Amino acid sequence: TADVSHAQPLSSQVGGHAGVLSTEDGSLIIKPALHRELEFYQHLTTNDGFADLIHYVPKFLGTLQLQGKVDTTETEIAHAETERDGDVAVVTNVEAHVEVQKESIVLENISHTFLKPNILDIKLGTVLYAYDASEEKKARMEKTARETTSFETGVRLTGFQVYDNTTSVPINTPKSYGKSIKPSDLPDGISNFFPLPSPGATPNQGLPPHLLLPILHNLLADIQEIREVLSKIEMRMAGGSLLIVYEADWERAEEGIKKFGLTTKGREVDFDEEEEEDSDAEDSDENENKVGPPYSVKLIDFAHTFITPGEGPDPGVLVGVDTTLALLKGRIEQVTQAS
Ligand code: ADP
Ligand code: MN
C-alpha cells in the first residue's frame, strides 16, 4: 500500500500542464485525468491485443477523487490508500466528499528509482488533435504542428531536465526551446539531452561515453520494440509522449549498468526481474536506496488517445518513433567517435 494523503507537486515534471502531483514518498504520481485517459488505461488491462503495450506504459494503480482544489502547496486527499490487487490496482477507502471533486489517475512515477533523473518528454505524432476536437482546435493544433518539428518529423522536444555534475542541480530546458527549433536542429536537441561531460565548463553535464553508450544502445533497442508493438495496435494517439529517463549520477549509473549487465549489445538481466524478488520487502528506506535500472522509456499521456479498430496503427506516431530512433542512432555514432 502507498500513502497518498500528502501529495505535492511533481518536482521533476518536464512538460505538460501544471497539476501533476506525486505522493510524499515520490513513488506514485497523481494526474488529473480526462475520462479518455482513464478509459485507455482500463482498456489496456482488459484487452489481450494491448498486453504487449503494458510493459511500455507506467503502471496504472487506479483512480482517486481529489477533494477541493489542487493548489501548489499541499493537497488533501480523503483517506485514500492504494492497494495492489493482481495486475489492476484499486484505490480503497476514498470517502465521498461534498466538495468539488476532480477525478485523477494514479500511476507509477517513472523517475522515482533514480538518484538524479535526466528526463526528456518527446511529443509524438504529426497530428496533434483527436478526431473529436472542435474545428477551431483542429485548425489551431494543425498550425502548431506545421510551425514546429511535429508536422515534418512526428516529434517535438516538449521539455527536458539534465543535471549539472558540478552543482548536482537539474537544469531545465522549457517547451519554448522545442517549439522554436527546426527539424535540422533536432540532433543538437538530442545532444543537449545526452551531453558528454566538459570538465571546467559551466554547466558541466552528462555521463562519460563508457556509461552513456550502454544506456543509449539499450534505449534504442527498447524503442525499436515499442515501434514493433505500436505497429500492431490500432489506435490514434494525439499529444502522447515518449518519456525517457536516465541516471545522471555517475556512480549510480555505473552500479545500475553492472547490476543489469548492460552492454552495447544488450543486457543480461531483465529490468522486471528484481521486482518479483523483492516484492515482500517492507522497508521503504531500503527500497529507496536500491539501485534501479539506469534508464527507462515509457509512453505517457493518453488524454487524447482513441482505440480505433480497423484503422491500422497511427502513421504519424510511427513517423515520430522512427525519427527518435534515427536521432538516437546519430547520437550513438557521435559518442562512439568521441570515446
Ligand atoms: P499533460 O496532459 O499535462 O501533458 P502528461 O501525462 O504528459 O500530462 O504529464 C506531464 C508531465 O508530467 C510529463 O512531461 C512528465 O514530466 C510528468 N509525468 C507524467 N507521467 C509521469 C510518470 N508516470 N512518471 C514520471 N513523470 C511523469
Ligand atoms: Mn503531455
Side-chain angles (χ1 to χ4, degrees):
T1 62
D3 184 10
V4 293
S5 60
H6 292 279
Q8 59 220 9
L10 175 68
S11 58
S12 60
Q13 184 175 343
V14 298
H17 311 85
V20 180
L21 304 174
S22 79
T23 49
E24 203 171 20
D25 71 352
S27 66
L28 304 176
I29 68 149
I30 300 165
K31 184 192 166 188
L34 289 178
H35 196 67
R36 188 79 47 213
E37 184 155 37
L38 169 58
E39 263 181 10
F40 179 79
Y41 276 104
Q42 286 168 341
H43 187 91
L44 275 187
T45 54
T46 50
N47 286 267
D48 289 347
F50 286 75
D52 290 341
L53 199 59
I54 291 179
H55 195 62
Y56 290 110
V57 303
K59 282 196 191 92
F60 169 66
L61 288 105
T63 62
L64 274 182
Q65 302 292 328
L66 289 191
Q67 162 194 340
K69 271 204 183 136
V70 175
D71 69 20
T72 49
T73 50
E74 195 177 64
T75 304
E76 271 289 309
I77 297 158
H79 308 291
E81 282 209 329
T82 56
E83 200 174 274
R84 300 219 95 215
D85 177 17
D87 261 345
V88 187
V90 289
V91 175
T92 54
N93 304 332
V94 181
E95 285 181 359
H97 229 270
V98 284
E99 288 190 50
V100 189
Q101 298 199 355
K102 192 159 194 181
E103 193 165 36
S104 293
I105 54 172
V106 182
L107 302 170
E108 156 199 22
N109 178 0
I110 299 307
S111 53
H112 176 59
T113 53
F114 294 79
L115 202 55
K116 295 177 193 161
N118 285 350
I119 310 174
L120 167 65
D121 179 313
I122 304 181
K123 197 182 282 288
L124 294 175
T126 54
V127 176
L128 302 178
Y129 56 84
Y131 87 88
D132 67 340
S134 65
E135 288 309 310
E136 181 271 324
K137 182 165 183 185
K138 281 183 183 170
R140 186 158 43 87
M141 299 306 272
E142 168 128 21
K143 187 164 177 279
T144 308
R146 282 182 188 275
E147 286 170 356
T148 61
T149 54
S150 290
F151 185 76
E152 214 177 299
T153 70
V155 303
R156 192 169 92 211
L157 306 180
T158 318
F160 53 91
Q161 71 169 34
V162 181
Y163 274 82
D164 184 331
N165 294 323
T166 312
T167 61
S168 290
V169 171
I171 299 173
N172 201 268
T173 301
K175 68 173 178 224
S176 53
Y177 170 74
K179 276 195 154 179
S180 67
I181 64 173
K182 291 183 194 49
S184 58
D185 299 321
L186 282 170
D188 283 346
I190 288 300
S191 308
N192 292 340
F193 179 63
F194 295 108
L196 289 174
S198 45
T202 308
N204 171 23
Q205 297 161 294
L207 294 174
H210 75 282
L211 300 179
L212 184 56
L213 280 172
I215 289 175
L216 284 174
H217 277 279
N218 278 269
L219 188 56
L220 180 72
D222 281 11
I223 298 176
Q224 275 162 344
E225 214 169 302
I226 288 176
R227 197 207 187 276
E228 278 295 292
V229 173
L230 285 176
S231 72
K232 291 178 196 125
I233 283 181
E234 299 186 295
M235 67 179 188
R236 289 294 173 273
M237 178 172 150
S241 293
L242 271 177
L243 191 69
I244 297 175
V245 185
Y246 72 98
E247 182 59 62
D249 185 89
W250 293 18
E251 226 170 89
R252 180 80 153 217
E254 185 158 23
E255 284 168 3
I257 287 167
K258 279 213 186 100
K259 179 170 176 176
F260 294 93
L262 262 64
T263 69
T264 53
K265 302 273 181 295
R267 63 172 167 263
E268 281 149 23
V269 184
D270 204 59
F271 288 168
D272 292 338
E273 246 164 60
E274 171 200 45
E275 247 171 68
E276 283 147 32
E277 232 173 69
D278 296 326
S279 60
D280 50 10
E282 285 290 324
D283 192 339
S284 67
D285 285 348
E286 203 176 282
N287 278 335
E288 247 161 57
N289 295 328
K290 198 155 285 161
V291 176
Y295 78 91
S296 172
V297 54
K298 305 277 178 188
L299 290 161
I300 63 161
D301 198 354
F302 304 101
H304 305 286
T305 294
F306 288 79
I307 312 295
T308 52
E311 288 187 29
D314 189 322
V317 165
L318 291 182
V319 168
V321 176
D322 287 339
T323 298
T324 307
L325 289 169
L327 288 167
L328 281 174
K329 282 180 193 161
R331 189 59 186 147
I332 285 173
E333 251 173 59
Q334 291 171 342
V335 176
T336 304
Q337 267 158 31
S339 68

